[in-house]
Amino acid sequence: MKTYRDEAVVLRTHKLGESDRIVTLLTRSHGQVRAVAKGVRKTTSRFGARLEPFSLVDVQLYKGRNLDTVQQVDLVNAYAPALSADYQLFTCGTVMVETAEQLTDDDSATHQHLLLVGGLHALATRRHPPQLVLDSYLLRALALAGWAPSFHDCASCGMPGPHSSFHLASGGVVCDACRPPGAASPDPATLVLLGDLLSGDWGGAEGTSNRVRDEASGLVTAYLQWHMERRLKSLPMLERV
Ligand SMILES: [Zn+2]
């Protein structure tokens, strides 16, 4: 079957020639797909506007040797207008799609797809504070990739927590016996918040102060960078929000 249909989030687009575009999609069932959208930059294009970054689309693709070709696109949810209208939402969304692109490949990544859709939806509808939505998304995306941090039991020996030291290379909090030199000692409330963001306990997360949220974000960013081979281009944008 050369033609297939799937639901996808548009992660990125770039220009190809005069009027075409290459779109990077995170599909629900076919992993990450790069496809050519022909003629989308012409003003008469039927589906150009539907293939903007952050959009959730229902797409029909034709399988090619290197790149697939977009045959048909229906918009399921347009998150681009909401996210592009607010700088903080836009930067959070940009870090999310860039992280999703780096954590997935052409293997099926249904859970990463669904996590990203949930995160973009929560951002666009302002269901929770954007900073918390982003940090929760990043922790859960890293956990799906096999790098689940521990914020309660010792990441080295498993001794039940809570513990007060945090060490990136060890994978989260560590007990006093395992604590390597240079481990951080965050506010205990920060470690509770990180645990809540990883498990999706929004009631607890939304009751925290800005200072605790900022400390948590710093640790999430450091943890993300520790595990990513390449530095995310969009991360410096967050520091200006
Ligand atoms: Zn330990």
Side-chain angles (χ1 to χ4, degrees):
M1 210 35 190
K2 280 281 203 179
T3 296
Y4 65 101
R5 208 176 175 91
D6 206 343
E7 203 165 270
V9 176
V10 181
L11 300 179
R12 193 151 64 96
T13 73
H14 60 267
K15 293 174 185 173
L16 177 71
E18 287 280 298
S19 60
D20 302 342
R21 205 177 268 169
I22 290 181
V23 293
T24 305
L25 305 168
L26 182 57
T27 66
R28 184 193 275 255
S29 308
H30 297 82
Q32 194 184 118
V33 170
R34 270 159 50 87
V36 182
K38 292 197 169 124
V40 288
R41 288 164 58 215
K42 292 178 184 159
T43 50
T44 53
S45 167
R46 283 173 299 116
F47 51 65
R50 298 172 203 164
L51 289 171
E52 294 297 325
F54 310 129
S55 286
L56 178 62
V57 293
D58 183 84
V59 65
Q60 185 177 305
L61 294 148
Y62 182 82
K63 196 139 196 64
R65 193 174 300 170
N66 297 313
L67 288 172
D68 296 354
T69 304
V70 177
Q71 292 185 319
Q72 207 181 322
V73 188
D74 291 316
L75 201 53
V76 177
N77 232 323
Y79 298 123
L83 299 189
S84 302
D86 179 288
Y87 187 74
Q88 190 187 14
L89 294 184
F90 178 78
T91 53
C92 289
T94 301
V95 172
M96 282 164 59
V97 292
E98 204 183 329
T99 301
E101 183 177 355
Q102 298 234 356
L103 290 180
T104 57
D105 52 26
D106 55 6
D107 289 335
S108 175
T110 304
H111 289 103
Q112 289 283 6
H113 167 89
L114 294 173
L115 183 70
L116 180 62
V117 171
L120 292 173
H121 192 82
L123 271 187
T125 56
R126 296 179 180 271
R127 187 180 293 165
H128 309 292
Q131 182 185 6
L132 296 182
V133 172
L134 173 63
D135 288 336
S136 178
Y137 166 79
L138 293 174
L139 288 173
R140 295 161 94 169
L142 285 165
L144 284 178
W147 299 316
S150 173
F151 298 117
H152 193 264
D153 299 342
C154 174
S156 292
C157 71
M159 186 204 252
H163 303 293
S164 59
S165 300
F166 182 88
H167 190 245
L168 282 179
S170 302
V173 296
V174 283
C175 70
D176 289 341
C178 296
R179 186 185 200 279
S185 300
D187 187 324
T190 300
L191 295 174
V192 172
L193 171 60
L194 289 166
D196 286 347
L197 292 174
L198 180 60
S199 65
D201 179 349
W202 291 101
E206 291 192 349
T208 52
S209 69
N210 285 335
R211 192 187 52 73
V212 164
R213 291 180 190 183
D214 288 345
E215 188 176 45
S217 285
L219 292 176
V220 172
T221 303
Y223 194 73
L224 179 70
Q225 284 179 310
W226 173 263
H227 282 292
M228 298 292 232
E229 287 173 19
R230 282 172 289 171
R231 187 183 161 88
L232 292 176
K233 287 197 296 287
S234 55
L235 273 183
M237 292 167 71
L238 277 181
E239 288 156 19
R240 291 188 278 124
V241 172

